[in-house]
Amino acid sequence: MNGNPCPPGGNPKCFAQHLGECEGEIEKEHPVSECVLLAVSGGKSTIFVRGRPSQKEGEVREIPIPNIVSHVLCAKHNRALTDFDAAGGKFAEGMEAMNALLGDTKASFDTFEVDGDALERWMLKVLYGAVFGGDTKLPDNAKSKGILPPIEGLRILYKGESFPPGQGLYLLPGPPGANATDELELGREPLMSADGNIAGMRFVFYGFNFVLLVANVHPDHASKLDDWMYRPKGITIRGCNKLLRFKWKTGAYSDTHLVTWEGLFDLEGNRIPREEKRG
Ligand SMILES: [Zn+2]
């Protein structure tokens, strides 16, 4: 993914340096965008995260939002992604609304429309920023810091090019009721290919698993993706009056993901009253 020297016009501290069009100082940024952090934190000043280099496998830690910053893009390349940040924010807002109003049958009916193509690019930005900034954990504690995105990926992000067929956003359905949880958590973990390259990133929002796939899957492993939902139409939870709908330039590839929310359960499988959990 890297190895080539920074070209003329590129800022060696910017992950888009190979486009050679850097301008302005490196900007301080939240690696997952402030609007998304605020949405998934429910307006609180802390957030539960996992997958950062200092964390153990599977560990979830509460971190103050102002402490989550990175310096991975020059001013020009940072500001060029504002629309994608907005899509990420809208998506997080919809997920938060669905989560907050689970089981509330009196809530008004709302549809959150999210630009799926922009959301994929927001995830791509998060992936590249987390890897280049060393803010994510690779297998065997390998360091990701300084690993640059491939030029093809930068063209998807900055030059309006499309993801290759089969790459992009997937939703990983779980068993009914297993998806929707009350967990206020944002996880993001890189996915590695067999040859050790970064193949994508897994994002966890309130128990929903999304994967941004940025590599082609080897035909021997293609069946693993059989029940993954590629570019779904939306997400809806039975027992919740909020609907998340994705708009795709190419049209959706999978139907709306319908989840039945069956309540909250502790580790022994006993139902927990929602109020109790909220504390
Ligand atoms: Zn730049």
Side-chain angles (χ1 to χ4, degrees):
M1 264 189 170
N2 55 352
N4 298 327
C6 184
N11 183 329
K13 289 183 175 158
C14 172
F15 77 59
Q17 59 188 259
H18 280 298
L19 293 173
E21 301 159 343
C22 291
E23 274 173 30
E25 300 285 307
I26 294 295
E27 294 198 330
K28 188 174 87 172
E29 238 262 317
H30 287 289
V32 284
S33 312
E34 192 161 13
C35 53
V36 173
L37 289 174
L38 286 172
V40 292
S41 69
K44 287 198 286 183
S45 58
T46 58
I47 186 171
F48 293 90
V49 296
R50 64 166 148 189
R52 302 189 89 204
S54 57
Q55 288 174 272
K56 291 198 194 81
E57 179 108 27
E59 185 197 337
V60 178
R61 195 183 292 169
E62 189 170 10
I63 296 178
I65 290 176
N67 291 8
I68 308 175
V69 287
S70 63
H71 303 82
V72 291
L73 285 170
C74 69
K76 179 180 169 180
H77 286 130
N78 190 27
R79 289 168 199 182
L81 305 181
T82 318
D83 288 353
F84 304 153
D85 288 339
K90 188 84 196 218
F91 166 70
E93 199 187 307
M95 296 297 289
E96 155 68 16
M98 285 205 289
N99 178 69
L101 296 166
L102 274 177
D104 182 352
T105 50
K106 295 195 187 90
S108 61
F109 283 90
D110 277 318
T111 300
F112 289 83
E113 289 240 327
V114 176
D115 179 337
D117 300 282
L119 178 66
E120 285 181 336
R121 283 160 182 81
W122 172 75
M123 289 177 162
L124 191 62
K125 168 205 163 168
V126 171
L127 166 63
Y128 289 161
V131 169
F132 180 70
D135 188 38
T136 194
K137 205 166 172 168
L138 299 184
D140 303 322
N141 286 320
K143 297 264 184 291
S144 74
K145 197 171 170 61
I147 297 181
L148 285 166
I151 192 75
E152 296 80 11
L154 292 178
R155 287 202 197 103
I156 294 172
L157 210 45
Y158 291 100
K159 304 289 179 189
E161 291 192 9
S162 302
F163 282 89
Q167 296 186 21
L169 181 75
Y170 286 82
L171 173 60
L172 280 56
N179 278 119
T181 76
D182 210 15
E183 218 175 323
L184 217 70
E185 177 203 322
L186 175 64
R188 48 195 177 85
E189 289 157 6
L191 302 177
M192 307 301 290
S193 64
D195 56 5
N197 286 314
I198 290 159
M201 188 163 234
R202 185 169 77 98
F203 295 79
V204 187
F205 280 89
Y206 297 110
F208 283 91
N209 280 277
F210 298 87
V211 163
L212 181 78
L213 196 67
V214 296
N216 292 325
V217 176
H218 191 276
D220 290 355
H221 298 286
S223 63
K224 284 187 184 160
L225 270 60
D226 280 353
D227 54 351
W228 291 19
M229 300 174 76
Y230 183 45
R231 294 183 176 164
K233 225 181 248 175
I235 301 171
T236 181
I237 305 176
R238 210 173 263 146
C240 179
N241 295 347
K242 308 291 171 187
L243 173 76
L244 196 82
R245 201 191 305 277
F246 297 113
K247 282 188 299 173
W248 301 102
K249 255 188 236 136
T250 54
Y253 282 79
S254 309
D255 217 341
T256 299
H257 180 44
L258 173 70
V259 178
T260 302
W261 188 65
E262 294 176 350
L264 297 168
F265 297 89
D266 63 19
L267 292 175
E268 279 81 47
N270 304 307
R271 191 181 288 269
I272 313 168
R274 196 174 165 89
E275 300 68 37
E276 195 179 302
K277 164 91 190 218
R278 304 224 119 189

